[in-house]
Amino acid sequence: NAGVTQTPKFQVLKTGQSMTLQCAQDMNHEYMSWYRQDPGMGLRLIHYSVGAGITDQGEVPNGYNVSRSTTEDFPLRLLSAAPSQTSVYFCASSYSRGRGGYTFGSGTRLTVV
Amino acid sequence: DQQVKQNSPSLSVQEGRISILNCDYTNSMFDYFLWYKKYPAEGPTFLISISSIKDKNEDGRFTVFLNKSAKHLSLHIVPSQPGDSAVYFCAASLRGGGSNYKLTFGKGTLLTVNP
């Protein structure tokens, strides 16, 4: 059981470039989310999805797009990378909000230069 | 405005003693609280949770206490072990509707357990 798989683990982008962070889960979880972690800021919600075809914005959605065409996959797209998007990105999934909490991936460390 | 606050950036305790990590919240609509543990270069791992209808939940060495009137929760680890050294995040979620799926995190507390 792989859980939540994020790729790539590391990425360096130039300002203005676009890229997609991949997230896949094999637990048949309905809920999936993207968070970013910055020093001294904890984890902040970017976008989330409650099922295939349904997405919504979190706390810091600007500069990011998501889609959920299947239950398993929830990619995060950076449209035009900016240095402010340098961060560690975590994808998470869950059956429900309460019991057992979210299962997190191991993260993608992104640097925008 | 930070709705979930962990005011201690770090905590150091001796192996075998009790570790107490604290968390305060401001939004009275939060009805479910969770603690996550995070090691460097790994994703957060769910540790323990508590519903707002309870004031205590215990799982092995970990106990979470909730004081709703004070909007305060704490995580007790007894006895503390060196492997517990990690960053601990407090998180909360809102009752009802589309907010069910969103967690609000504190900034985390780095726990160091010294042998």
Side-chain angles (χ1 to χ4, degrees), chain A residues 2-111:
Chain A
V4 178
T5 302
Q6 290 184 239
T7 55
K9 292 191 181 300
F10 302 94
Q11 183 70 50
V12 179
L13 287 179
K14 292 183 179 179
T15 297
Q17 285 185 316
S18 62
M19 79 160 294
T20 299
L21 280 62
Q22 301 291 345
C23 176
Q25 53 93 7
D26 60 358
M27 298 171 284
N28 202 31
H29 284 170
E30 307 103 312
Y31 314 146
M32 296 186 75
S33 300
W34 277 101
Y35 289 85
R36 60 179 286 175
Q37 184 191 13
D38 301 294
M41 296 294 291
L43 286 90
R44 293 182 293 170
L45 180 65
I46 304 172
H47 285 286
Y48 67 100
S49 169
V50 302
I54 306 169
T55 64
D56 206 347
Q57 296 180 351
E59 180 184 357
V60 287
N62 292 339
Y64 307 95
N65 271 356
V66 292
S67 60
R68 184 99 180 267
S69 57
T70 66
T71 299
E72 294 78 18
D73 300 299
F74 191 43
L76 178 72
R77 298 182 187 86
L78 279 70
L79 309 174
S80 177
S84 61
Q85 294 179 304
T86 294
S87 187
V88 181
Y89 292 84
F90 291 101
C91 179
S93 71
S94 174
Y95 278 120
S96 70
R97 68 174 177 93
R99 291 186 300 274
Y102 276 90
T103 299
F104 281 81
S106 58
T108 295
R109 183 173 293 275
L110 175 68
T111 302

Side-chain angles (χ1 to χ4, degrees), chain A residues 31 33 35 37 40-45 48-50 57-58 90 97-107 109, chain B residues 31-32 34 36 38 41-46 49 87 89 93-96 98-108:
Chain A
Y31 314 146
S33 300
Y35 289 85
Q37 184 191 13
M41 296 294 291
L43 286 90
R44 293 182 293 170
L45 180 65
Y48 67 100
S49 169
V50 302
Q57 296 180 351
F90 291 101
R97 68 174 177 93
R99 291 186 300 274
Y102 276 90
T103 299
F104 281 81
S106 58
R109 183 173 293 275
Chain B
D31 73 330
Y32 209 92
L34 307 91
Y36 285 84
K38 185 183 181 303
E42 294 184 10
T45 302
F46 170 74
S49 62
V87 176
F89 289 100
S93 66
L94 295 168
R95 72 170 64 96
S99 299
N100 278 0
Y101 322 111
K102 297 189 287 187
L103 295 179
T104 300
F105 283 84
K107 294 184 177 182

Side-chain angles (χ1 to χ4, degrees), chain B residues 7 17 21 30 44 54-55 68 82 88 91 98-99 103-104 106 110:
Chain B
N7 292 319
R17 307 295 286 267
L21 296 99
F30 286 142
K54 297 186 176 181
D55 55 19
K68 284 179 62 180
Y88 289 78
S99 299
L103 295 179
T104 300
L110 174 62

Side-chain angles (χ1 to χ4, degrees), chain B:
Chain B
D1 179 33
Q2 196 181 358
Q3 299 186 66
V4 178
K5 302 177 184 178
Q6 294 178 257
N7 292 319
S8 298
S10 62
L11 174 68
S12 181
V13 299
Q14 287 299 118
E15 180 178 4
R17 307 295 286 267
I18 184 172
S19 295
I20 300 176
L21 296 99
N22 294 304
C23 178
D24 297 295
Y25 62 96
T26 57
N27 191 337
S28 58
M29 296 297 287
F30 286 142
D31 73 330
Y32 209 92
F33 304 91
L34 307 91
W35 284 94
Y36 285 84
K37 174 181 180 180
K38 185 183 181 303
Y39 294 117
E42 294 184 10
T45 302
F46 170 74
L47 196 56
I48 193 169
S49 62
I50 188 167
S51 166
S52 60
I53 62 174
K54 297 186 176 181
D55 55 19
K56 177 182 174 181
N57 189 27
E58 192 171 356
D59 184 0
R61 297 187 296 115
F62 303 92
T63 302
V64 56
F65 295 92
L66 176 62
N67 182 335
K68 284 179 62 180
S69 61
K71 294 189 178 66
H72 176 83
L73 64 155
S74 60
L75 175 68
H76 292 212
I77 306 174
V78 182
S80 301
Q81 299 173 354
D84 295 329
S85 297
V87 176
Y88 289 78
F89 289 100
C90 173
S93 66
L94 295 168
R95 72 170 64 96
S99 299
N100 278 0
Y101 322 111
K102 297 189 287 187
L103 295 179
T104 300
F105 283 84
K107 294 184 177 182
T109 296
L110 174 62
L111 173 66
T112 302
V113 180
N114 301 302

